[in-house]
Amino acid sequence: MLMAEQPFRPREKLIEKQKYFQSIHKHTYLKGPMDKITSVAIPIAFAASSLFLIGRGIYNMSNGIGKKE
């Protein structure tokens, strides 16, 4: 007698998740509630900090600040 393997998740939960993801008309990487932090906020913070550091470096080089003697 062969026994059928039990599914990992109940069918109702899978149908509920499918309905959730198919009903939202956003990009697939912005579907969860915390995805805005990882997909939007962190890259913007990296870009802002890198632009600040690049600007500070250009300012220091043009004015000769921080040169080793």
Side-chain angles (χ1 to χ4, degrees):
M1 176 162 58
L2 293 172
M3 299 200 47
E5 185 177 339
Q6 293 294 322
F8 291 115
R9 285 183 166 224
R11 187 174 301 276
E12 295 80 24
K13 288 275 189 186
L14 288 174
I15 292 172
E16 180 183 323
K17 290 278 187 185
Q18 282 178 345
K19 284 181 183 177
Y20 172 71
F21 282 111
Q22 290 172 358
S23 66
I24 299 176
H25 297 291
K26 291 183 185 176
H27 295 290
T28 55
Y29 57 88
L30 293 175
K31 297 228 182 211
M34 297 298 286
D35 289 340
K36 289 185 179 88
I37 295 172
T38 58
S39 296
V40 177
I42 293 174
I44 288 175
F46 279 137
S49 63
S50 65
L51 288 174
F52 170 74
L53 291 172
I54 289 170
R56 190 176 74 172
I58 290 172
Y59 176 78
N60 288 344
M61 283 193 301
S62 63
N63 292 322
I65 300 172
K67 291 194 311 186
K68 289 186 178 179
E69 295 296 324

